[in-house]
Amino acid sequence: MSFLLHSRPVILVAGAGVLFSGCAAWYIVGRKLSVRVASLAREVELLRQEVERLRNIVEQLLPPQPPKFEKNASFHNSSLMTSDDDETYEDAYGGPLPWLTGLRSTALTNDLDSRSITSDDYLSANSFQSHDSDETAQLFNKVDRLFDGSDHDKQEAYDTLSKKKSKLSNDANFVWRLAKATYFRSQIVGTSDKEEQRRLIFSSKDIAKEALQLDEKNSNAHKWYAIALGSTNDYESVKVKIQNGYDFKSHIERAIVLNPTDPTSHYLLGRWCFGVYMLSWVERRAAATLFATPPTATIDETLEHFLEADKLKPGTWKENLLFIAKCYIQKREYETALQWLDKADVLPTMGQDDELSQQEITTLLKQYSSYRN
């Protein structure tokens, strides 16, 4: 008994220590549980957001309910155009691009803008016709040079062609140039006047279609119809974007058949193939839901198109060289990719669009530097 009395302080201290240790242990366990619960909550929220994104995609793929998607040939009817709520995938393949009709997003040719559209149009054999007068030929030479210039020059080309519309509206070579000038005009307007930009984009498509009706065998008419068509995707539903993707490819392939020496057409087809190759499983399944035969492309055929563009315009096109490198990266041929990145890196940066390409070139050079010999 006396032992217990004398030992009570020790027992009390020991008991307090056990109690404290137990509380501390429970506190640590509880804290870990709280952290884990918070982590799970974040994961659940991310999953919820992904489910919501997929739900929106599925809803857009459902058959349209009239009159919401009632067809009308006029681009002036803005009620027929959907919002941009499906645009979350910006600038191509590493930031953007997707296929022209990418379900996450942006149209292929929206990403291309004027940086990917060169002056190769007037090199085409059908850019002029034998019955064109000397005055018309001089007009075409003038605007072709202006197309290569500044925004001010492109605006001058647009104004010059617009004044001649009533006189030359039956000349396919005039009409596709007017479509091109209208497209450039839409890029100059930019986002400062979205309604005017939209009007110009759809006008460019309609004008290019007129050129095709005048001369189905005009390669530039096919190319500029495809470019303008792709640009309308900012204002279309996902289902329309997908159909536009097929139409884009069809017209670019036709342009190549008619004029196989145009590097821009090969580049555009390469971009389409790259976008298809990079589609996610969800995007492929969505496309298969709408069309019996979803689009397919291999990285080898994609690379072939970019290499052909480089063969026709060797070593001078920064963005094309960048995409050749990106193809080799997909093939895991990193040393070869670095060689093409080096070629692109030393080219001068001409304008804001080249600056965007240069940023990606710099990033990739750093990312894959360990693969140098």
Side-chain angles (χ1 to χ4, degrees), residues 9-200:
V10 177
I11 294 172
L12 290 175
V13 171
V18 171
L19 180 61
F20 176 79
S21 299
C23 290
W26 276 109
Y27 173 78
I28 293 172
V29 172
R31 184 173 179 82
K32 289 182 177 179
L33 286 174
S34 297
V35 172
R36 180 55 180 158
V37 169
S39 176
L40 288 173
R42 287 193 296 271
E43 292 178 9
V44 169
E45 175 60 20
L46 291 174
L47 287 172
R48 186 196 67 76
Q49 293 175 8
E50 180 66 10
V51 169
E52 181 67 16
R53 186 182 74 83
L54 293 175
R55 184 184 67 80
N56 290 335
I57 289 177
V58 172
E59 286 180 353
Q60 292 189 61
L61 295 177
L62 292 175
Q65 300 298 318
K68 183 177 180 182
F69 295 107
E70 183 180 14
K71 291 293 181 183
N72 187 317
S74 173
F75 63 83
H76 296 287
N77 190 345
S78 61
S79 66
L80 303 182
M81 300 170 190
T82 65
S83 65
D84 296 335
D85 57 347
D86 63 323
E87 294 213 1
T88 58
Y89 192 69
E90 219 304 323
D91 209 354
Y93 316 109
L97 207 128
W99 165 39
L100 169 66
T101 61
L103 300 181
R104 285 181 275 184
S105 66
T106 235
L108 168 60
T109 49
N110 283 356
D111 175 63
L112 298 175
D113 292 333
S114 59
R115 63 180 149 167
S116 304
I117 301 166
T118 71
S119 60
D120 298 308
D121 297 317
Y122 68 89
L123 300 177
S124 169
N126 59 15
S127 291
F128 299 94
Q129 296 175 352
S130 58
H131 62 264
D132 286 335
S133 67
D134 290 341
E135 181 183 355
T136 302
Q138 290 175 8
L139 171 68
F140 290 167
N141 279 322
K142 176 184 177 180
V143 297
D144 288 338
R145 289 193 299 269
L146 290 171
F147 283 145
D148 277 342
S150 63
D151 285 350
H152 180 272
D153 293 330
K154 292 182 175 68
Q155 179 65 53
E156 183 181 346
Y158 175 79
D159 294 337
T160 300
L161 292 171
S162 296
K163 292 176 183 178
K164 299 289 185 179
K165 184 176 181 180
S166 60
K167 181 180 179 181
L168 298 172
S169 59
N170 291 324
D171 187 328
N173 285 312
F174 170 85
V175 176
W176 72 253
R177 282 180 171 86
L178 180 59
K180 178 177 181 176
T182 304
Y183 174 85
F184 281 144
R185 170 64 182 154
S186 75
Q187 302 304 299
I188 295 170
V189 170
T191 58
S192 61
D193 189 342
K194 292 185 178 181
E195 185 63 24
E196 176 66 4
Q197 183 182 45
R198 186 195 69 175
R199 185 192 71 79
L200 288 165

Side-chain angles (χ1 to χ4, degrees), residues 207-225:
I207 294 170
K209 187 174 182 179
E210 292 176 11
L212 284 174
Q213 291 170 346
L214 289 169
D215 184 5
E216 191 281 332
K217 294 184 179 181
N218 191 302
S219 63
N220 286 316
H222 282 282
K223 180 171 68 175
W224 280 98
Y225 178 77

